[in-house]
Amino acid sequence: PSWVKLVRVGQTISAYRSGDGVAWTFVGSDSFSMGASVYVGLAVSSHDNAIVSTATFDNVTITR
């Protein structure tokens, strides 16, 4: 299992990862035009049409 955190500040999204949800490692960031409101979601893909993928998401939090 891994933790993923995305942080938006203005027009920049920064990504972090963690093995325990406490200590975070910066992965990278990107800046692009966004409206004041954005939609977020979770997805999984096998990248192979012949294989079905499943995933479990827990401890999901969206803060403003």
Side-chain angles (χ1 to χ4, degrees):
S2 295
W3 294 74
V4 177
K5 176 169 62 172
L6 300 176
V7 177
R8 177 186 178 183
V9 177
Q11 302 295 321
T12 301
I13 301 280
S14 298
Y16 301 84
R17 65 180 174 89
S18 173
D20 60 10
V22 176
W24 294 95
T25 301
F26 176 74
V27 176
S29 64
D30 198 3
S31 297
F32 46 91
S33 297
M34 293 179 270
S37 297
V38 295
Y39 295 99
V40 297
L42 303 169
V44 63
S45 173
S46 70
H47 299 288
D48 183 336
N49 291 338
I51 300 173
V52 176
S53 290
T54 60
T56 301
F57 298 100
D58 61 11
N59 296 311
V60 175
T61 304
I62 300 172
T63 59
R64 297 170 116 201

